[in-house]
Short mmCIF file of all heavy atoms in Angstrom, two decimals:
data_model
loop_
_atom_site.label_atom_id
_atom_site.label_comp_id
_atom_site.label_asym_id
_atom_site.label_seq_id
_atom_site.Cartn_x
_atom_site.Cartn_y
_atom_site.Cartn_z
N SER A 1 0.79 -1.25 -0.01
CA SER A 1 -0.02 0.00 -0.01
C SER A 1 0.83 1.30 -0.03
O SER A 1 0.32 2.32 -0.40
CB SER A 1 -0.92 0.04 1.24
OG SER A 1 -1.74 -1.08 1.28
N LEU A 2 2.09 1.22 0.52
CA LEU A 2 2.86 2.42 0.74
C LEU A 2 4.16 2.37 -0.08
O LEU A 2 4.68 1.29 -0.29
CB LEU A 2 3.18 2.60 2.19
CG LEU A 2 2.00 2.78 3.17
CD1 LEU A 2 2.47 2.85 4.56
CD2 LEU A 2 1.18 4.04 2.81
N PRO A 3 4.70 3.52 -0.46
CA PRO A 3 6.07 3.56 -1.02
C PRO A 3 7.09 3.15 0.03
O PRO A 3 6.85 3.16 1.19
CB PRO A 3 6.27 5.02 -1.44
CG PRO A 3 5.26 5.79 -0.64
CD PRO A 3 4.14 4.86 -0.38
N LEU A 4 8.29 2.72 -0.43
CA LEU A 4 9.26 2.14 0.41
C LEU A 4 9.67 3.07 1.57
O LEU A 4 9.93 2.61 2.66
CB LEU A 4 10.50 1.76 -0.46
CG LEU A 4 11.66 1.05 0.31
CD1 LEU A 4 11.18 -0.27 0.93
CD2 LEU A 4 12.82 0.77 -0.61
N ASP A 5 9.81 4.40 1.30
CA ASP A 5 10.27 5.32 2.30
C ASP A 5 9.23 5.50 3.44
O ASP A 5 9.58 5.90 4.56
CB ASP A 5 10.60 6.71 1.70
CG ASP A 5 9.37 7.30 0.98
OD1 ASP A 5 8.60 6.57 0.40
OD2 ASP A 5 9.20 8.52 1.07
N LEU A 6 7.98 5.11 3.24
CA LEU A 6 6.94 5.24 4.25
C LEU A 6 6.67 3.95 4.93
O LEU A 6 5.80 3.85 5.85
CB LEU A 6 5.68 5.81 3.68
CG LEU A 6 5.67 7.25 3.10
CD1 LEU A 6 4.32 7.59 2.53
CD2 LEU A 6 6.05 8.21 4.22
N TYR A 7 7.39 2.87 4.54
CA TYR A 7 7.11 1.52 5.12
C TYR A 7 7.32 1.49 6.67
O TYR A 7 6.45 0.96 7.38
CB TYR A 7 7.94 0.49 4.44
CG TYR A 7 7.74 -0.89 4.99
CD1 TYR A 7 6.59 -1.69 4.72
CD2 TYR A 7 8.67 -1.48 5.92
CE1 TYR A 7 6.46 -2.93 5.27
CE2 TYR A 7 8.50 -2.76 6.48
CZ TYR A 7 7.38 -3.46 6.16
OH TYR A 7 7.21 -4.66 6.68
N PRO A 8 8.47 1.99 7.20
CA PRO A 8 8.65 1.95 8.62
C PRO A 8 7.52 2.63 9.41
O PRO A 8 6.98 2.07 10.39
CB PRO A 8 10.00 2.65 8.89
CG PRO A 8 10.70 2.47 7.60
CD PRO A 8 9.61 2.58 6.53
N ILE A 9 7.15 3.84 9.02
CA ILE A 9 6.10 4.56 9.73
C ILE A 9 4.75 3.93 9.49
O ILE A 9 3.87 3.88 10.42
CB ILE A 9 6.01 6.06 9.30
CG1 ILE A 9 5.11 6.85 10.18
CG2 ILE A 9 5.57 6.17 7.81
CD1 ILE A 9 5.66 7.04 11.61
N GLY A 10 4.57 3.27 8.36
CA GLY A 10 3.33 2.48 8.14
C GLY A 10 3.21 1.30 9.05
O GLY A 10 2.15 1.00 9.62
N MET A 11 4.32 0.54 9.28
CA MET A 11 4.32 -0.60 10.15
C MET A 11 4.11 -0.17 11.58
O MET A 11 3.44 -0.81 12.32
CB MET A 11 5.67 -1.35 10.00
CG MET A 11 5.78 -2.59 9.25
SD MET A 11 4.34 -3.61 8.91
CE MET A 11 3.89 -4.25 10.45
N ALA A 12 4.70 0.96 11.97
CA ALA A 12 4.56 1.49 13.32
C ALA A 12 3.08 1.81 13.55
O ALA A 12 2.54 1.56 14.62
CB ALA A 12 5.43 2.74 13.56
N THR A 13 2.46 2.50 12.56
CA THR A 13 1.03 2.83 12.72
C THR A 13 0.18 1.62 12.77
O THR A 13 -0.84 1.58 13.53
CB THR A 13 0.63 3.71 11.49
OG1 THR A 13 1.47 4.77 11.39
CG2 THR A 13 -0.84 4.24 11.64
N ASP A 14 0.49 0.58 11.99
CA ASP A 14 -0.20 -0.70 12.03
C ASP A 14 -0.23 -1.29 13.44
O ASP A 14 -1.28 -1.68 14.00
CB ASP A 14 0.40 -1.66 10.98
CG ASP A 14 -0.25 -3.03 10.97
OD1 ASP A 14 -1.40 -3.15 11.52
OD2 ASP A 14 0.34 -3.97 10.48
N LEU A 15 0.95 -1.43 14.03
CA LEU A 15 1.08 -2.01 15.35
C LEU A 15 0.39 -1.15 16.36
O LEU A 15 -0.22 -1.65 17.28
CB LEU A 15 2.54 -2.15 15.68
CG LEU A 15 3.35 -3.13 14.91
CD1 LEU A 15 4.84 -3.12 15.28
CD2 LEU A 15 2.79 -4.57 15.07
N THR A 16 0.43 0.17 16.22
CA THR A 16 -0.28 1.10 17.18
C THR A 16 -1.76 0.91 17.13
O THR A 16 -2.42 0.82 18.15
CB THR A 16 0.13 2.53 16.91
OG1 THR A 16 1.55 2.68 17.08
CG2 THR A 16 -0.56 3.48 17.85
N PHE A 17 -2.27 0.86 15.90
CA PHE A 17 -3.75 0.71 15.79
C PHE A 17 -4.22 -0.63 16.39
O PHE A 17 -5.21 -0.66 17.07
CB PHE A 17 -4.14 0.79 14.27
CG PHE A 17 -4.57 2.12 13.85
CD1 PHE A 17 -3.73 3.24 13.88
CD2 PHE A 17 -5.87 2.34 13.38
CE1 PHE A 17 -4.11 4.45 13.49
CE2 PHE A 17 -6.27 3.60 12.95
CZ PHE A 17 -5.39 4.73 13.05
N TYR A 18 -3.44 -1.65 16.15
CA TYR A 18 -3.85 -2.97 16.65
C TYR A 18 -3.79 -3.02 18.16
O TYR A 18 -4.64 -3.56 18.83
CB TYR A 18 -2.98 -4.06 16.07
CG TYR A 18 -3.39 -5.46 16.46
CD1 TYR A 18 -4.52 -6.02 15.89
CD2 TYR A 18 -2.66 -6.18 17.41
CE1 TYR A 18 -4.94 -7.31 16.29
CE2 TYR A 18 -3.05 -7.46 17.75
CZ TYR A 18 -4.23 -7.97 17.21
OH TYR A 18 -4.61 -9.26 17.63
N GLY A 19 -2.69 -2.43 18.70
CA GLY A 19 -2.54 -2.40 20.17
C GLY A 19 -3.64 -1.59 20.87
O GLY A 19 -4.20 -2.04 21.87
N VAL A 20 -3.93 -0.43 20.36
CA VAL A 20 -4.92 0.43 21.00
C VAL A 20 -6.30 -0.19 20.85
O VAL A 20 -7.08 -0.24 21.85
CB VAL A 20 -4.95 1.85 20.37
CG1 VAL A 20 -6.12 2.67 20.84
CG2 VAL A 20 -3.61 2.59 20.64
N SER A 21 -6.63 -0.71 19.68
CA SER A 21 -7.93 -1.32 19.51
C SER A 21 -8.10 -2.58 20.38
O SER A 21 -9.19 -2.88 20.84
CB SER A 21 -8.15 -1.71 18.03
OG SER A 21 -7.22 -2.64 17.61
N SER A 22 -7.02 -3.36 20.56
CA SER A 22 -7.10 -4.55 21.41
C SER A 22 -7.39 -4.14 22.88
O SER A 22 -8.12 -4.82 23.58
CB SER A 22 -5.78 -5.32 21.35
OG SER A 22 -5.53 -5.79 20.09
N ALA A 23 -6.73 -3.04 23.29
CA ALA A 23 -7.00 -2.63 24.68
C ALA A 23 -8.49 -2.19 24.84
O ALA A 23 -9.12 -2.56 25.82
CB ALA A 23 -6.00 -1.52 25.04
N PHE A 24 -9.00 -1.44 23.90
CA PHE A 24 -10.35 -1.03 23.96
C PHE A 24 -11.30 -2.23 23.85
O PHE A 24 -12.36 -2.28 24.51
CB PHE A 24 -10.67 -0.02 22.85
CG PHE A 24 -10.30 1.37 23.19
CD1 PHE A 24 -9.29 1.99 22.59
CD2 PHE A 24 -11.01 2.08 24.18
CE1 PHE A 24 -8.93 3.32 22.93
CE2 PHE A 24 -10.64 3.37 24.49
CZ PHE A 24 -9.61 4.02 23.88
N GLY A 25 -10.90 -3.15 22.97
CA GLY A 25 -11.75 -4.34 22.71
C GLY A 25 -12.04 -5.20 23.95
O GLY A 25 -13.06 -5.65 24.16
N GLY A 26 -10.93 -5.34 24.76
CA GLY A 26 -11.07 -6.12 26.02
C GLY A 26 -12.06 -5.45 26.99
O GLY A 26 -12.90 -6.16 27.53
N TYR A 27 -12.00 -4.14 27.04
CA TYR A 27 -12.99 -3.45 27.89
C TYR A 27 -14.39 -3.48 27.40
O TYR A 27 -15.35 -3.76 28.16
CB TYR A 27 -12.53 -1.96 28.02
CG TYR A 27 -13.53 -1.12 28.83
CD1 TYR A 27 -13.56 -1.16 30.23
CD2 TYR A 27 -14.42 -0.29 28.12
CE1 TYR A 27 -14.49 -0.38 30.89
CE2 TYR A 27 -15.36 0.44 28.79
CZ TYR A 27 -15.36 0.43 30.24
OH TYR A 27 -16.27 1.19 30.86
N ILE A 28 -14.52 -3.34 26.07
CA ILE A 28 -15.87 -3.40 25.45
C ILE A 28 -16.52 -4.74 25.61
O ILE A 28 -17.70 -4.92 25.87
CB ILE A 28 -15.82 -2.97 23.99
CG1 ILE A 28 -15.46 -1.44 23.90
CG2 ILE A 28 -17.10 -3.16 23.32
CD1 ILE A 28 -15.17 -1.01 22.50
#
């Protein structure tokens, strides 16, 4: 989905979204 220069920040965003949503998901 992303150009090579944006891959690290893209992966970081991916992990962040999954982590935050998992934390909210457990509470919900």
Side-chain angles (χ1 to χ4, degrees):
S1 303
L2 299 176
L4 184 59
D5 60 321
L6 294 179
Y7 177 77
I9 190 68
M11 257 337 292
T13 305
D14 176 18
L15 293 174
T16 299
F17 264 63
Y18 185 74
V20 172
S21 62
S22 296
F24 276 111
Y27 173 78
I28 292 173

